[in-house]
Amino acid sequence: SCTAEDAIKMAALQLQATVGDYNSETIKKGIVASSIEKYVPATWINSRPPEDWERVIFELHKRLVGRTLLDAKLNYLSYVKRRPLYGASFFYVTQRNQFKEVPEIIIIAVNQDGVQLLKPGITKEKVVAYPFAEIVSWATTSNTFTFVTGDLAHQQKFTVETTRGPEISTICKGYVEAVLQNDM
């Protein structure tokens, strides 16, 4: 999950990449506060007033003076790549009583780490995650996506309702093929 410190670092790098070095004559007070949603994740926006966010972001932005546009962009990307849902494709699906404590509508997120089931909402709280190494198989119909986890002795089958099953299947296949190519 993204901390407030992460949000500040990414916002300062974003400023460096978009407006360059901090200069109090060209970067006016209010530039960040008036459009705070461009700089701070929704989960953090209301944790402090926009003016406080701007102040701490400007403090860090001042320390980035001299970094090139490319360097700022590469640092930002490097930071984002470490996020657990980086590169994920998200699909809203319906689950029927497989997870009692979870809403009926959930999100399947597929990325290089595997398949994750998330609660919908701003925080996208993780219900469970399955690396591709634990997924034995998957299949799709016109209105479902099913995947099986475990090993030959013990398996668990999960079926969700969605019309996007073929798309989820194609993404899973692409990641598994990439992993297999890298292992060879």
Side-chain angles (χ1 to χ4, degrees), residues 156-168:
Q156 189 168 11
K157 182 177 176 180
F158 301 93
T159 299
V160 295
E161 295 174 13
T162 179
T163 57
R164 300 188 63 198
E167 190 177 348
I168 299 170

Side-chain angles (χ1 to χ4, degrees), residues 9 14 37 50 53 55 58 67 73 98 120 130-131 177:
K9 287 178 183 176
Q14 182 180 345
E37 67 282 348
W53 280 113
R55 183 182 47 74
F58 279 173
R67 287 214 180 168
K73 286 181 177 182
Q98 292 188 358
Y130 298 101
E177 287 174 351

Side-chain angles (χ1 to χ4, degrees), residues 58-74:
F58 279 173
E59 285 172 13
L60 186 55
H61 184 215
K62 290 174 187 174
R63 291 190 251 154
L64 298 175
V65 169
R67 287 214 180 168
T68 66
L69 170 78
L70 180 60
D71 185 45
K73 286 181 177 182
L74 289 174

Side-chain angles (χ1 to χ4, degrees), residues 6 9-17 64 67-88 112:
D6 292 333
K9 287 178 183 176
M10 290 190 294
L13 285 166
Q14 182 180 345
L15 269 177
Q16 185 68 18
L64 298 175
R67 287 214 180 168
T68 66
L69 170 78
L70 180 60
D71 185 45
K73 286 181 177 182
L74 289 174
N75 274 284
Y76 183 92
L77 186 57
S78 171
Y79 211 79
V80 172
K81 279 180 159 180
R82 293 191 300 257
R83 310 301 337 138
L85 294 174
Y86 173 75
Q112 69 277 359

